[in-house]
């Protein structure tokens, strides 16, 4: 008995050390961003476009990158949900639980989940060259959609697989169609959909490699899908590459804005998940 208590104490210590280590790294990252970004961020930076010589320390801001990131993330998330939700329902409602096709599909999405974003970017860039497309907002949206679809599908699929199938049988026994049953399932897995959306948004808004090949970069705000678009990760990358300390500090200011956007999205997602959890049947 004493050995079991010792093992439990060791496990508790290891868990506490792991928690403190992870929290320490996160706190260090956030503190560095806030310390260096808050000291140099101004209203001009977040409300104006880059001026002449912005990337060598002159006037202007990175509003183009903020708007470009919002455009790409919003459009790709909506497209990803439109594609992913039907796939999840097909795997869990229309197919049998022991379906070989469902097993192979989940394995394929697991593989796609782990592919680096730069591979998606290179693949999309190759297709764009073949089709005669230039770097554009549309290219950034499409490659980001491809990037987050596996995240959405596998995250929502895991939640849906834990859905009580007795409720499905009860729905069918009452004469409900599969489409009507899908509405019941959708209401029950709504918190899982919100969680999957948060994960995909976090991956999409922080991606730099994929959009570097497909969206390009522009100092102006795109007004059509065929124009190149800037994003915050690329803006941070370009400014950190500059030798001037002032420009590097602007990169931390952009990183601070990106962190705040992710924080706001996370808090909003938590609120939405709590709302759905309270109102499920």
């Amino acid at each position: 008995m004493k050995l079991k208590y010792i093992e439990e104490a060791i496990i508790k210590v290891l868990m506490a050390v792991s928690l403190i280590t992870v929290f320490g790294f996160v706190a260090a990252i956030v503190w560095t961003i806030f310390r260096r970004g808050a000291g140099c961020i101004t209203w001009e930076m977040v409300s104006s476009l880059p001026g002449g010589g912005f990337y060598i320390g002159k006037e202007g801001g990175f509003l183009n990158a903020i708007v470009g990131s919002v455009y790409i993330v919003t459009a790709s998330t909506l497209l990803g949900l439109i594609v992913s939700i039907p796939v999840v329902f097909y795997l869990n409602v229309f197919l049998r639980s022991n379906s070989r096709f469902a097993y192979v599909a989940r394995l394929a999405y697991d593989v796609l989940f782990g592919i680096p974003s730069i591979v998606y970017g290179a693949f999309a860039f190759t297709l764009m060259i073949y089709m005669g497309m230039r770097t554009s907002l549309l290219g950034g949206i499409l490659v980001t959609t491809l990037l987050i679809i596996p995240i959405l599908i596998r995250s929502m699929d895991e939640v849906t697989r834990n859905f009580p199938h007795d409720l499905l049988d009860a729905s069918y026994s009452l004469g409900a169609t599969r489409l009507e049953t899908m509405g019941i399932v959708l209401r029950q897995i709504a918190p899982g959909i919100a969680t999957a959306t948060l994960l995909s948004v976090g991956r999409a808004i922080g991606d730099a490699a994929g959009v570097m090949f497909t969206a390009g970069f522009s100092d102006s705000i795109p007004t059509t899908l065929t124009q190149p678009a800037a994003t915050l990760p690329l803006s941070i990358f370009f400014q950190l590459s500059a030798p001037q300390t002032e420009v590097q500090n602007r990169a931390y200011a952009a990183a601070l804005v990106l962190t705040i956007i992710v924080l706001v999205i996370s808090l909003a997602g938590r609120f939405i998940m709590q709302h759905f959890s309270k109102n499920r049947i």
Side-chain angles (χ1 to χ4, degrees):
M1 291 294 293
K2 185 176 295 185
L3 181 60
K4 292 184 177 179
Y5 287 122
I6 294 175
E7 291 177 350
E8 183 178 354
I10 293 174
I11 295 299
K12 286 183 178 179
V13 171
L14 291 176
M15 292 171 61
V17 170
S18 300
L19 176 63
I20 294 172
T21 301
V22 173
F23 181 79
F25 277 115
V26 173
I29 293 172
V30 174
W31 168 249
T32 302
I33 292 173
F34 272 84
R35 179 176 60 86
R36 298 197 59 174
C40 64
I41 192 170
T42 62
W43 176 250
E44 180 187 6
M45 287 186 186
V46 298
S47 62
S48 61
L49 299 176
F54 174 74
Y55 295 100
I56 58 174
K58 295 185 179 180
E59 71 282 348
F62 44 80
L63 178 63
N64 59 322
I66 297 175
V67 176
S69 293
V70 172
Y71 281 169
I72 291 176
V73 171
T74 303
S76 61
T77 303
L78 291 176
L79 288 176
L81 288 172
I82 291 172
V83 174
S84 302
I85 291 177
V87 172
V88 172
F89 279 126
Y90 183 73
L91 292 175
N92 292 277
V93 177
F94 288 85
L95 293 180
R96 299 188 307 272
S97 58
N98 59 347
S99 170
R100 184 177 297 272
F101 175 76
Y103 172 80
V104 174
R106 291 187 174 101
L107 178 61
Y109 286 121
D110 284 337
V111 174
L112 292 174
F113 192 113
I115 293 178
S117 61
I118 193 169
V119 177
Y120 282 97
F123 171 74
F125 183 67
T126 303
L127 288 181
M128 290 172 65
I129 293 177
Y130 178 77
M131 299 173 62
M133 292 178 58
R134 296 183 177 181
T135 54
S136 61
L137 176 61
L138 178 61
I141 291 173
L142 292 179
V143 73
T144 307
T145 302
L146 293 175
L147 177 67
I148 67 175
I149 280 178
I151 302 174
L152 288 169
I153 291 178
R154 290 304 288 131
S155 300
M156 290 188 290
D157 180 60
E158 289 300 322
V159 175
T160 310
R161 292 178 72 180
N162 294 324
F163 179 80
H165 288 274
D166 292 341
L167 191 57
L168 293 179
D169 297 334
S171 176
Y172 293 141
S173 65
L174 293 174
T177 64
R178 286 185 173 180
L179 289 177
E180 292 171 338
T181 304
M182 285 171 56
I184 298 174
V185 177
L186 182 63
R187 187 175 181 86
Q188 293 295 309
I189 68 171
I193 294 177
T195 302
T197 303
L198 284 178
L199 292 173
S200 63
V201 168
R203 178 77 181 274
I205 200 170
D207 176 55
V211 294
M212 181 185 295
F213 289 108
T214 56
F217 199 85
S218 174
D219 287 343
S220 60
I221 297 175
T223 56
T224 64
L225 291 175
T226 58
Q227 294 179 346
T231 59
L232 279 170
L234 285 181
S235 178
I236 295 169
F237 172 74
F238 291 143
Q239 292 180 87
L240 278 178
S241 302
Q244 296 89 347
T245 303
E246 182 181 355
V247 180
Q248 294 177 1
N249 289 334
R250 289 178 178 178
Y252 283 98
L256 176 60
V257 173
L258 182 59
T259 303
I260 293 174
I261 292 175
V262 173
L263 178 61
V264 171
I265 293 174
S266 300
L267 293 176
R270 293 290 181 182
F271 175 79
I272 293 172
M273 284 188 287
Q274 291 179 358
H275 173 75
F276 279 120
S277 298
K278 292 178 180 178
N279 292 280
R280 286 192 295 173
I281 59 173

